[in-house]
Amino acid sequence: MTSFIFDLDGTLTDARQKINNKFKDFMHEFAGKYSCYICTGSDYPKVEEQLGKDLSDKFVTIFACSGNHQFSQGNETYKSDWQISEQEEQYFINELEKLNYPHKTGKHIEKRVGTVNVSIPGRNATVEDRKIFIPWDKKHDARNTLAAKINQEFPKLEAVVGGETGIDIFERGKDKSQILEGFNKNLSVHFFGDKMYPGGNDFALGVAIGALPNGKVYNIKNWQHTYEILKDPNFIP
C-alpha cells in the first residue's frame, strides 16, 4: 500500500488561501484511491477552512500543529498538552519588538496545541501585507535569524520556519517527523512539502522519509507543482 503525506500551505494551497477548485476535484479523486494524510504546522480549523470539510474528511489523518494535534474525519484522536512558559513568551515578544519591520499588523503570537506560531508581520496580515513582507524577509533573513536565536537561547525548544510569515515553535523532538511512529516504515511513503531546507518545518519529516527503504520526498514550489506531479501520466505511486 502506498501512502501520501502532504503539507498544506505552499503545497496544496497558497498560504492561508482556499484550495483551487479544479485541484480540489482532482484531490477528491486521488484521496479516494490512495491513503492520504496532511501534516501541517497550521491548526485543524485552518485545514478545514482551506480545503473544505468534504475534502479534509477524505484524508486518513490530519496531523495539525506539526503532528501535535491529530484528527480523523473531524474527530480528535490525539492532543498534546505542551505549552510555552511565560519566560519564553516574553522573550518572543521582546525579540519581535527589536525588529524594525515597518508594516506590523498585530497578533504576532498564536498559541496552538503543542506549538506556538510567531509571525513578524502579524497573524492579521492580509495577502497584500504578505506580498510586502516576503521580499523584505528574503533580504533581511529575519525569520531564519530569529529561529536560530530561539534555538540557541532555549535548548528544550525547536523553532523552524513555516508558511510565508511565521516561525513554528514546539518542544524539541516534537516536529513533523513524529508522525511516522504510526506508519509501517517498510511500505511506500511519499511526502510533498515546500520547506524542505534545514530550518524549514518540512525538513525533519523529509529527512526521515528519505531514509526509509521506500520513502520518496518531493521539494515543492507551490500547489501547481504538486498538481503537475500527481496528474502526470508517468507518475507511478
Side-chain angles (χ1 to χ4, degrees):
M1 182 180 293
T2 301
S3 295
F4 292 85
I5 305 171
F6 298 93
D7 174 44
L8 181 64
D9 286 344
T11 302
L12 292 181
T13 72
D14 288 329
R16 293 293 295 115
Q17 301 300 306
K18 292 185 178 181
I19 190 171
N20 172 271
N21 287 332
K22 187 175 181 180
F23 187 32
K24 181 176 182 177
D25 290 341
F26 174 88
M27 287 304 301
H28 260 290
E29 184 177 349
F30 190 86
K33 292 179 180 178
Y34 303 103
S35 295
C36 293
Y37 303 79
I38 288 177
C39 187
T40 175
S42 293
D43 55 26
Y44 180 77
K46 293 185 182 70
V47 177
E48 197 169 282
E49 174 190 330
Q50 289 173 240
L51 298 185
K53 181 171 173 52
D54 56 335
L55 180 55
S56 296
D57 284 352
K58 282 289 189 72
F59 290 84
V60 178
T61 303
I62 305 290
F63 297 103
C65 302
S66 298
N68 291 293
H69 205 189
Q70 302 176 13
F71 292 82
S72 179
Q73 294 190 322
N75 298 311
E76 182 182 85
T77 57
Y78 170 74
K79 182 178 182 180
S80 168
D81 59 4
W82 177 84
Q83 295 181 355
I84 59 166
S85 68
E86 291 184 7
Q87 176 195 1
E88 291 161 348
E89 183 175 3
Q90 189 59 53
Y91 178 86
F92 305 154
I93 292 171
N94 293 342
E95 290 300 312
L96 286 168
E97 289 178 350
K98 293 178 186 177
L99 292 170
N100 62 351
Y101 181 65
H103 301 286
K104 294 178 181 177
T105 63
K107 194 181 180 185
H108 299 279
I109 297 177
E110 182 176 84
K111 296 179 183 179
R112 300 171 181 171
V113 174
T115 65
V116 174
N117 182 267
V118 174
S119 173
I120 293 173
R123 298 298 309 172
N124 296 326
T126 65
V127 173
E128 292 304 315
D129 292 328
R130 289 168 179 267
K131 288 180 180 178
I132 295 171
F133 175 74
I134 291 170
W136 182 90
D137 188 39
K138 286 181 179 179
K139 179 180 179 180
H140 296 276
D141 201 29
R143 289 194 295 164
N144 285 321
T145 300
L146 179 54
K149 289 181 71 174
I150 292 169
N151 286 326
Q152 184 174 11
E153 185 73 19
F154 300 99
K156 292 184 179 181
L157 298 184
E158 188 169 354
V160 294
V161 171
E164 291 180 335
T165 71
I167 299 169
D168 292 329
I169 303 166
F170 37 78
E171 188 177 13
R172 185 160 294 279
K174 294 300 182 180
D175 53 51
K176 288 186 176 184
S177 67
Q178 67 179 308
I179 74 168
L180 286 183
E181 294 175 6
F183 284 78
N184 184 330
K185 297 177 178 59
N186 292 314
L187 299 181
S188 180
V189 181
H190 296 245
F191 176 46
F192 292 70
D194 71 318
K195 295 289 188 296
M196 295 288 192
Y197 53 84
N201 70 349
D202 294 319
F203 180 73
L205 181 54
V207 169
I209 290 178
L212 297 179
N214 299 297
K216 178 69 174 177
V217 176
Y218 304 83
N219 191 4
I220 297 301
K221 300 174 184 176
N222 48 41
W223 69 263
Q224 293 94 331
H225 188 196
T226 303
Y227 190 15
E228 186 179 296
I229 293 171
L230 295 180
K231 69 179 181 179
D232 186 336
N234 295 316
F235 177 70
I236 303 174

